[in-house]
């Protein structure tokens, strides 16, 4: 005998079907979630200052666990007046040490800004996913930003590898103009020498002001 479905039961079934489809649509519109960037790595970067038009190349040790950063500027033969420094940023102590690579002279400066990790914040907006390079020699990356519907322009854009979430490039924008662009490369997981975050003995008698970047 054929079973009859009452009107109330039919309405409940239809309502459940609509709710299920609504949840499926929501899940498909969520998009990818930000990956978790490594907390400790070493490598190199090039920071391009759009205001001065200069590239700053350096070896970098990054310790996100202890809020520490060490930047060792790389020498350029075609800039004879340029001074080259080692920078040690200790954000837990709110201190930065600037050490002249040639003379060992040291400056100890209070850090006014808070720690800003190289990662993708949880509230970031997914922008795009694409491949850098070509067939047989490429890496897949995701692009994120701090763009929000209530704000027309983003102030930060980060590109991170899809597989291991290494930083590839970060760009900062102020007043609709790019201020700095940082490219990361040759990254290795972990810190090979934790002592790079320890200021040298010359910093015991450090000056309280930053040193000039040029002799000329």
């Amino acid at each position: 005998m054929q079973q009859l479905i009452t009107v109330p039961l039919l309405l409940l079934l239809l309502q459940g079907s609509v709710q299920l489809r609504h949840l499926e649509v929501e899940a498909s519109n969520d998009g990818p979630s930000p990956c978790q960037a490594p907390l400790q790595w070493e490598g190199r970067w090039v920071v391009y200052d759009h205001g001065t038009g200069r590239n700053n190349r350096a070896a970098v040790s990054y310790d996100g666990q202890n809020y520490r950063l060490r930047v060792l500027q790389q020498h350029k033969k075609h800039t004879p007046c340029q001074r080259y420094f080692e920078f040690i940023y200790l954000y837990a102590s709110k201190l930065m040490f600037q050490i002249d690579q040639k003379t060992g002279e040291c400056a100890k400066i209070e850090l006014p800004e808070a720690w800003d990790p190289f990662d993708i914040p949880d509230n970031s907006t997914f922008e795009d996913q694409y491949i850098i390079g070509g067939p047989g020699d490429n890496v897949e990356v995701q692009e994120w930003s701090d763009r929000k519907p209530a704000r027309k322009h983003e102030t930060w854009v980060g590109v991170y590898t899809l597989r291991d979430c290494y930083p590839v490039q970060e760009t900062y924008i102020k007043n609709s103009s790019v201020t700095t662009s940082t490219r990361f490369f040759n990254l290795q997981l972990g810190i090979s020498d934790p002592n790079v975050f320890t200021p040298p003995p010359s910093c015991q008698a450090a000056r309280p002001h930053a040193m000039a970047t040029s002799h000329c």
Side-chain angles (χ1 to χ4, degrees):
M1 182 174 62
Q2 186 177 7
Q3 186 177 4
L4 296 177
I5 300 178
T6 63
V7 173
L9 179 59
L10 180 61
L11 290 175
L12 286 174
L13 291 174
L14 290 174
Q15 183 179 10
S17 178
V18 170
Q19 289 177 344
L20 179 61
R21 285 198 298 270
H22 179 67
L23 290 175
E24 289 176 347
V25 170
E26 281 188 342
S28 63
N29 290 336
D30 283 344
S33 299
C35 57
Q36 297 296 316
L39 288 175
Q40 292 182 326
W41 51 261
E42 293 178 325
R44 296 168 59 195
W45 73 21
V46 177
V47 180
Y48 179 68
D49 189 320
H50 292 255
T52 63
R54 293 181 177 178
N55 282 310
N56 184 354
R57 300 177 181 272
V60 181
S61 297
Y62 171 79
D63 181 8
Q65 289 182 347
N66 301 293
Y67 310 118
R68 302 184 298 185
L69 182 69
R70 185 252 195 169
V71 178
L72 185 65
Q73 291 183 322
Q74 295 182 328
H75 292 260
K76 300 177 183 178
K77 295 181 179 179
H78 58 279
T79 53
C81 295
Q82 184 73 29
R83 300 174 69 182
Y84 294 93
F85 298 98
E86 174 186 6
F87 297 92
I88 301 175
Y89 298 84
L90 305 177
Y91 282 89
S93 304
K94 297 183 178 180
L95 292 174
M96 186 270 282
F97 295 89
Q98 178 192 22
I99 303 106
D100 189 307
Q101 294 186 33
K102 185 176 181 180
T103 66
E105 187 178 3
C106 180
K108 180 180 178 181
I109 305 162
E110 185 176 348
L111 282 173
E113 67 272 8
W115 169 255
D116 184 13
F118 292 114
D119 66 358
I120 307 170
D122 292 336
N123 61 348
S124 298
T125 298
F126 175 73
E127 297 290 353
D128 203 355
Q129 182 171 318
Y130 47 86
I131 292 175
I132 296 176
D137 187 12
N138 58 61
V139 60
E140 195 166 8
V141 299
Q142 287 185 342
E143 183 177 301
W144 297 79
S145 78
D146 64 349
R147 178 176 57 85
K148 295 293 182 291
R151 185 171 59 229
K152 185 176 182 180
H153 299 292
E154 61 270 12
T155 62
W156 166 83
V157 177
V159 180
Y160 283 72
T161 61
L162 179 64
R163 178 178 175 181
D164 295 315
C165 206
Y166 282 110
V168 175
Q169 181 167 330
E170 285 202 346
T171 301
Y172 283 89
I173 303 101
K174 185 177 182 180
N175 298 327
S176 300
S177 297
V178 176
T179 56
T180 58
S181 298
T182 304
R183 293 182 289 114
F184 305 83
F185 50 97
N186 293 351
L187 300 191
Q188 299 289 332
L189 191 63
I191 302 296
S192 59
D193 182 11
N195 292 323
V196 298
F197 300 107
T198 302
S202 61
C203 289
Q204 294 180 0
R207 60 168 64 190
H209 305 290
M211 290 177 275
T213 60
S214 175
H215 290 291
C216 303

